[in-house]
Amino acid sequence: MSSIDETKQFVPLNIAVLTISDTRTLADDKSGATLADRLTAAGHHLAAREIIVDDIDAIRIIVKRWIADPDVDAIITTGGTGFTGRDVTPEAVEPLFEKRMDGFSVAFHMLSHAKIGASTVQSRATAGVAGATFIFCLPGSPGACRDAWDGILGAQLDYRTRPCNFVEIMPRLDEHLRRPKAKGASA
């Protein structure tokens, strides 16, 4: 099990929250509010919060903007991970991933199964890294957002978590872009 190393200083991240829904507004977006409340209570900064309809191009525009923004460390989306015709979050976001985080989906489904049983198979929760930005795509229910934050993201986005966490590897996410070419390299 992971633990918090109290000798380490907390490192606040800038986290953007995107709710994907054809029907929600900021006034009734319980899932986005759950994420915003939890991340700020943990000491992180809410870098941005938006709501967008279930549309691949519209979702990509916002996610790409946040990936390109050096002031956004992580993106959490909520909604659009099911199987209905309008659920397109994985289709919109996964092509942007430079690296998939398959373990996130496994961990999420394990947590979810303990709460809702076999119904967890109806979620296509996914995660990955793009442009040195962590991206997590969660279902649209407040319970799923609560479970993902409390059971995975809260700890993994805390620099003090041991034995390891996402924050400590952040400086190395784009090292392949910063590495100079070897002398004599032709490409």
Side-chain angles (χ1 to χ4, degrees):
M1 294 299 294
S2 64
S3 63
I4 297 292
D5 181 347
E6 297 294 342
T7 66
K8 303 272 186 193
Q9 186 172 352
F10 180 79
V11 176
L13 300 179
N14 295 314
I15 304 172
V17 174
L18 178 62
T19 298
I20 298 157
S21 173
D22 289 333
T23 60
R24 297 283 177 239
T25 66
L26 280 178
D28 65 0
D29 174 23
K30 293 178 184 173
S31 296
T34 295
L35 291 167
D37 291 347
R38 277 183 156 56
L39 72 89
T40 56
H44 298 293
H45 304 289
L46 182 61
R49 181 171 171 210
E50 293 189 34
I51 297 177
I52 193 68
V53 295
D54 293 272
D55 177 81
I56 290 173
D57 293 331
I59 295 166
R60 278 189 190 153
I61 287 169
I62 294 171
V63 173
K64 282 180 174 181
R65 177 171 21 106
W66 288 345
I67 290 168
D69 187 337
D71 292 327
V72 174
D73 300 309
I75 300 166
I76 306 173
T77 73
T78 175
T81 62
F83 288 98
T84 71
R86 296 290 296 155
D87 291 325
V88 296
T89 301
E91 290 79 9
V93 179
E94 286 180 340
L96 304 177
F97 293 165
E98 293 163 9
K99 295 188 179 184
R100 288 180 53 95
M101 193 183 304
D102 295 328
F104 174 81
S105 183
V106 172
F108 175 79
H109 285 294
M110 289 173 58
L111 283 170
S112 182
H113 188 271
K115 303 264 178 139
I116 65 170
S119 293
T120 190
V121 300
Q122 293 189 31
S123 168
R124 297 181 299 142
T126 187
V129 178
T133 303
F134 290 108
I135 305 167
F136 307 95
C137 301
L138 308 178
S141 78
C145 292
R146 201 170 28 254
D147 293 345
W149 183 268
D150 295 350
I152 304 169
L153 298 177
Q156 281 298 296
L157 296 175
D158 188 331
Y159 178 67
R160 304 168 301 168
T161 298
R162 295 290 168 249
C164 58
N165 60 75
F166 290 137
V167 182
E168 65 191 355
I169 64 171
M170 288 177 73
R172 297 183 56 211
L173 292 177
D174 65 351
E175 67 189 357
H176 64 290
L177 302 173
R178 294 181 279 123
R179 189 176 306 132
K181 289 182 183 177
K183 291 196 185 247
S186 60

